[in-house]
Amino acid sequence: MPELPDVEVFKRYLSRHALNQRVVAVECIERSLLRDGLSPRKLQGALIDTQLQRAYRRGKHLFARLDDGQWLELHFGMTGYLDYADAAETPPRHSRLVLELDNGKRLAYVNQRKLGRIGLVDDPDTYLDAEAVGPDILTLGESGFVELAGGRRGQLKCWLMDQSAMAGLGNIYSDEILFQARAHPKTPVKRLAAVQLAAIYRQVEAVCAKAVAAKADPERMPADFLLPHRRKDGRCPRCGAPLEALTACGRTAYRCPECQPDWEQS
DNA sequence: CTCCATGTTTAGAA
DNA sequence: CTTCTAAACATGGA
């Protein structure tokens, strides 16, 4: 699940449940997920006996501030999520980091495929800047977004998913935004006028807001969302036309051939 | 067995 | 320098 809306939901979940509780035990540390230079012992040392003070998100990266000012970084890859429950409950299969809290609960970071990352950083923004992660897409604003498009050469969908340009969108939600904006994924960015870019950005905001409101659960999404229909032999929720699967940026993109016409003739 | 999957990194080609 | 493609990573579902 984890794109911007999913991670925002995780952030709220963590904030609602796991803040200001002392960590009394750290378990299930999966070594292969740790950032360079971070050992299980070091991570455990940093987490034990501290509290998660607050959460911060930029793009798909989630951070939790610790008592000493350091931040725990969680990246969810393609299959990660959080699970908060009674400490007595067995953590879900594929739990890769489990924090036991002194209120009798535990917070598990679960990730089936080990494509995510767990880190420890002094300052999230400094760290992400150094990693060449761009600004969170929702902080750009319409004018910032339009400005960013200047001089860009590639395809619209690829640009939206480029984490170094703007952080947060992935394959699923870039498709959703393009569907809502009725834009073809392969439209060259340079072909778009400022008003068209602005309209696309308004869909960035609208789609993210609606997805977060739906708890990023496809079953709760608005009826006109592409997301639940996004598969081979799926049909457009608006006009019923069969969806087309195409390849862009090395990923499978879905579009409605009727609602998102080719940029050549529009 | 084969293909595909919400992400990122790396290598090599244009 | 920017952009694109393919492969790799690890794991499981169809």
Side-chain angles (χ1 to χ4, degrees):
Chain A
M1 307 183 92
E3 296 181 32
L4 187 155
D6 311 279
V7 180
E8 179 61 28
V9 171
F10 298 159
K11 177 194 163 186
R12 295 178 186 196
Y13 182 80
L14 188 154
S15 300
R16 178 157 31 97
H17 294 305
L19 294 186
N20 308 311
Q21 306 294 334
R22 197 147 294 280
V23 176
V24 296
V26 184
E27 292 151 355
C28 290
I29 299 178
E30 169 62 45
R31 180 171 216 123
S32 63
L33 285 174
L34 302 186
R35 286 260 175 217
D36 292 340
L38 181 58
S39 67
R41 206 160 32 80
K42 201 169 156 190
L43 179 63
Q44 178 163 33
L47 291 175
I48 200 86
D49 207 36
T50 191
Q51 299 185 6
L52 306 184
Q53 295 182 347
R54 65 170 191 269
Y56 173 68
R57 182 193 60 73
R58 172 163 150 191
K60 305 171 187 172
H61 298 258
L62 180 62
F63 300 88
R65 185 179 164 93
L66 311 178
D67 290 342
D68 67 357
Q70 287 195 102
W71 295 77
L72 172 68
E73 177 208 11
L74 297 175
H75 189 278
F76 296 88
M78 291 173 98
T79 54
Y81 65 95
L82 297 175
D83 182 70
Y84 177 84
D86 285 338
E89 262 188 54
T90 310
R93 202 156 125 85
H94 307 305
S95 289
R96 308 304 188 184
L97 176 66
V98 179
L99 306 184
E100 197 176 314
L101 308 174
D102 71 352
N103 61 352
K105 302 283 188 174
R106 53 102 181 120
L107 180 70
Y109 164 91
V110 191
N111 201 334
Q112 177 200 105
R113 294 161 70 183
K114 299 175 186 169
L115 297 178
R117 272 287 172 275
I118 297 170
L120 214 49
V121 304
D122 290 330
D123 180 70
D125 284 319
T126 307
Y127 160 75
L128 290 181
D129 289 348
E131 293 277 296
V133 172
D136 187 88
I137 188 168
L138 292 180
T139 68
L140 283 178
E142 206 174 284
S143 59
F145 182 78
V146 173
E147 262 179 59
L148 208 55
R152 186 82 191 192
R153 279 179 300 172
Q155 302 170 346
L156 179 54
K157 180 181 169 72
C158 301
W159 178 55
L160 292 175
M161 288 202 301
D162 180 352
Q163 301 301 298
S164 67
M166 55 194 126
L169 299 183
N171 200 23
I172 299 265
Y173 283 101
S174 58
D175 273 3
E176 186 66 54
I177 287 157
L178 293 171
F179 174 72
Q180 297 299 334
R182 302 180 185 245
H184 191 292
K186 286 179 177 284
T187 309
V189 176
K190 53 152 63 159
R191 290 285 309 265
L192 293 164
V195 278
Q196 295 175 294
L197 288 163
I200 290 166
Y201 189 75
R202 284 196 292 276
Q203 289 302 333
V204 169
E205 295 177 315
V207 165
C208 288
K210 289 173 186 174
V212 171
K215 303 270 172 67
D217 177 353
E219 307 206 335
R220 301 187 189 194
M221 306 258 171
D224 70 340
F225 261 39
L226 176 72
L227 206 154
H229 308 274
R230 198 184 162 283
R231 59 174 178 277
K232 298 209 154 53
D233 77 5
R235 287 176 171 278
C236 172
R238 212 151 40 200
C239 73
L243 297 178
E244 177 197 19
L246 53 147
T247 297
C249 325
R251 313 294 299 276
T252 303
Y254 290 86
R255 71 178 279 235
C256 171
E258 301 298 324
C259 302
Q260 296 162 271
D262 208 294
W263 70 92
E264 303 288 2
Q265 64 256 353
S266 64

